[in-house]
Amino acid sequence: MIRAVRHLGPNWYASVMGTAVVGTAGAGLPLPLPGLRGLWAGLWALSLLMLVSLLAARALHWRHHGDQARRHLLDPAVAPFYGCLSMALLAVGGGALAVGRDWIGLPAAVALDAVLFTAGTATGLVVAVVVPYLMVVRHRLSPGDAAPAWLLPLVAPMVSAALGPQLIPHLPAGAARQTMLALCLALFGLSLLAVLVTLPTVFARLLTGGPPPLALTPTLFLVLGPLGQSTTAAGNFAAVAPGTVPDPYARALEVVSVLYGVPVTGFALLWLALAAALVVRAARRGMGFAMTWWAFTFPVGTCVTGASALGGRTGLAVFDALAVALFALLLVAWAAAALPTARGLLRGHLLAGPAAAAPDAGPAAARAHGQAQAPAYTPAPA
């Protein structure tokens, strides 16, 4: 067991995020499907089990393979994935209140969410500083190395901003609720501005450097994360503002949630179409399964919750339909990532070293496995 976790990287937390968001997004659909709430709760329970197992395995990794863990932090291809730890904690915590309460009860769900929200937010803030710091002073990067994974440590505070509002009704009225909302707004701004200064570099790299390596093409979906999550956050701010802050601020948050969310959703759909086209291109050129396929899940899930929030705020059926369509895509994406992951775990090759995991796939697949020492993005032939 100890040897098996040597190559277990932080990218594995993406599987927890992707599983948790299916349950949360399904429970929040504007057109609830009868009889399926138990399934969403079951997926949340699975994500909780996965989180506990991964936390234990990663503790063993740090305890017995500290050299490899430190190498991960110094590897520009792997270090950004430390943002997934924060988002996994937050996703499971948020799911506890969304659907987990059906199984464990509301008091336990609130307590679990409070603990995971606190731990996930603190971890996300640390990662949002430490990983960019390492990129500046230790990693050797060039504009051609820019990758969507660079957004991972920056978007973690946005997940806190989106999920924090659901705890507000369970806090004492007055200053406690207002402070929590102010914290979420600050986290929203922190993440949004950081993403806005980083995303142009990623987009420019794509336009000037050509498509990413085949195994890394699914990571293009990561750009959807901050777009969908910020739209979700804006909608959640508007939902809890009445009774939390004075009416002028509550009305302003209601207006902003729509004026911000609709244009950002438009850009998200543009990026979804572009990323999907590049994934189809990569599939035609032989793209095989890698853990990067989990990038198809959580980002799309945030777009589902964002569309659901817009549907609730505007009353327009088009956003309800969009949420349902994106959720159907999310289910397909989750199955496409989960089934090969389970099969790879049973066969043992997903926990092998990069050379053993992808002996014939070259350096790009090794990076997708999360362990290579080379930059995350290199030019690929058209």
Side-chain angles (χ1 to χ4, degrees):
M1 175 61 183
I2 293 175
R3 184 65 185 174
V5 300
R6 176 167 178 79
H7 298 288
L8 184 70
N11 57 319
W12 277 80
Y13 286 111
S15 62
V16 178
M17 299 157 50
T19 302
V21 79
V22 177
T24 302
L29 283 178
L31 301 175
L33 301 174
L36 289 182
R37 189 170 173 87
L39 175 59
W40 311 144
L43 284 171
W44 169 80
L46 175 61
S47 71
L48 176 60
L49 177 61
M50 293 167 64
L51 176 63
V52 172
S53 301
L54 267 176
L55 288 173
R58 287 285 294 166
L60 287 175
H61 175 83
W62 273 93
R63 172 67 178 84
H64 297 282
H65 303 290
D67 61 324
Q68 185 76 352
R70 288 186 291 273
R71 190 175 297 120
H72 286 169
L73 279 172
L74 298 179
D75 182 349
V78 182
F81 286 92
Y82 273 89
C84 293
L85 167 58
S86 167
M87 291 185 279
L89 294 169
L90 293 164
V92 174
L97 269 183
V99 290
R101 62 183 181 180
D102 294 354
W103 287 14
I104 65 176
L106 183 59
V110 172
L112 179 59
D113 189 19
V115 171
L116 293 180
F117 175 82
T118 302
T121 300
T123 303
L125 289 173
V126 170
V127 170
V129 174
V130 170
V131 172
Y133 174 83
L134 290 174
M135 293 173 72
V136 171
V137 302
R138 297 297 300 271
H139 301 165
R140 295 295 176 261
L141 300 168
S142 66
D145 298 325
W150 286 13
L151 299 174
L152 288 172
L154 306 178
V155 76
M158 185 65 78
V159 180
S160 294
L163 296 177
Q166 67 182 0
L167 283 169
I168 289 179
H170 304 283
L171 294 173
R177 294 185 181 184
Q178 293 173 3
T179 301
M180 182 64 162
L181 183 56
L183 170 64
C184 292
L185 286 167
L187 291 169
F188 178 94
L190 180 160
S191 179
L192 179 63
L193 294 176
V195 167
L196 287 177
V197 299
T198 306
L199 184 55
T201 305
V202 176
F203 200 7
R205 160 59 188 85
L206 186 63
L207 294 176
T208 60
L214 298 184
L216 295 176
T217 304
T219 63
L220 293 172
F221 275 68
L222 294 176
V223 174
L224 296 174
L227 304 175
Q229 200 64 270
S230 61
T231 301
T232 302
N236 290 344
F237 296 156
V240 300
T244 300
V245 293
D247 286 344
Y249 298 108
R251 288 196 297 270
L253 288 173
E254 177 86 20
V255 172
V256 168
S257 70
V258 176
L259 294 182
Y260 173 85
V262 174
V264 170
T265 298
F267 180 69
L269 293 176
L270 168 66
W271 191 273
L272 175 61
L274 175 62
L278 288 169
V279 166
V280 170
R281 173 189 177 277
R284 289 176 174 173
R285 284 161 172 76
M287 179 186 72
F289 172 74
M291 287 299 289
T292 53
W293 282 33
W294 283 101
F296 294 139
T297 56
F298 189 78
V300 173
T302 67
C303 292
V304 174
T305 56
S308 296
L310 283 174
R313 300 258 70 80
T314 64
L316 295 177
V318 64
F319 291 113
D320 294 343
L322 177 61
V324 173
L326 289 173
F327 185 73
L329 177 62
L330 173 61
L331 288 178
V332 173
W334 183 81
L339 295 178
T341 299
R343 186 163 55 245
L345 281 173
L346 290 175
R347 295 177 179 175
H349 66 262
L350 278 183
L351 291 177
D360 301 317
R367 293 187 199 102
H369 193 67
Q371 316 300 330
Q373 301 302 312
Y377 239 173
T378 54

